[in-house]
Amino acid sequence: EAQVTQNPRYLITVTGKKLTVTCSQNMNHEYMSWYRQDPGLGLRQIYYSMNVEVTDKGDVPEGYKVSRKEKRNFPLILESPSPNQTSLYFCASSPRGASWEQYFGPGTRLTVT
Amino acid sequence: GQNIDQPTEMTATEGAIVQINCTYQTSGFNGLFWYQQHAGEAPTFLSYNVLDGLEEKGRFSSFLSRSKGYSYLLLKELQMKDSASYLCAALLTDSWGKLQFGAGTQVVVTP
């Protein structure tokens, strides 16, 4: 089944404790992206990757890191999480091309206390 | 700067038509997406418009006017399951691959 998976789905952590949210897609898509979603603010792009070893900043990259060592994986790293990073996070992938259709993962709800 | 505006909420009756408008002001523009998002779920792709005009997909249609910085999503023959948030997003060209989303329009379908 074609899908984007994220792990963990739910995470409660404390300020300053490094964490990684994994994202994996099995559709051989070139493009992958991370978003956060907060009430009233909609989806905001954190980082995106056009292909392996190519990453770029979205609108809200501060406090996050990403890597794209393999085509299928695009982990999101929070080196020192803070409470303002409490949010719902979505990973997405796309084959690009004419339709740019993005497939979203199920989301990761992160709480930083 | 970048700005994408859409109404916060719209209410319509089952079987009716609703039009969700989206205006955008971006430094570089490639195309306009529409997504549907049910509460507690991930967004799902509805459409991507690059050229001016109307594109129809069953009960959903999307329109784009690049010169006016304007798009709309038309939902026909509304069903209760269409109650959801609808997100418009611009694909920018100043950094290829960068997307900017509006805050979303909550559509409530009533019996």
Side-chain angles (χ1 to χ4, degrees), chain A residues 28-46:
Chain A
N28 201 36
H29 286 168
E30 292 181 340
Y31 179 89
M32 297 186 75
S33 184
W34 275 104
Y35 303 91
R36 61 177 290 174
Q37 188 170 36
D38 303 288
L41 296 177
L43 278 166
R44 291 180 292 168
Q45 192 176 41
I46 303 170

Side-chain angles (χ1 to χ4, degrees), chain B residues 64-79:
Chain B
L64 177 66
S65 169
R66 297 176 72 103
S67 61
K68 294 182 179 176
Y70 169 69
S71 173
Y72 68 74
L73 180 70
L74 195 69
L75 284 60
K76 293 179 276 190
E77 300 168 20
L78 277 172
Q79 302 176 8

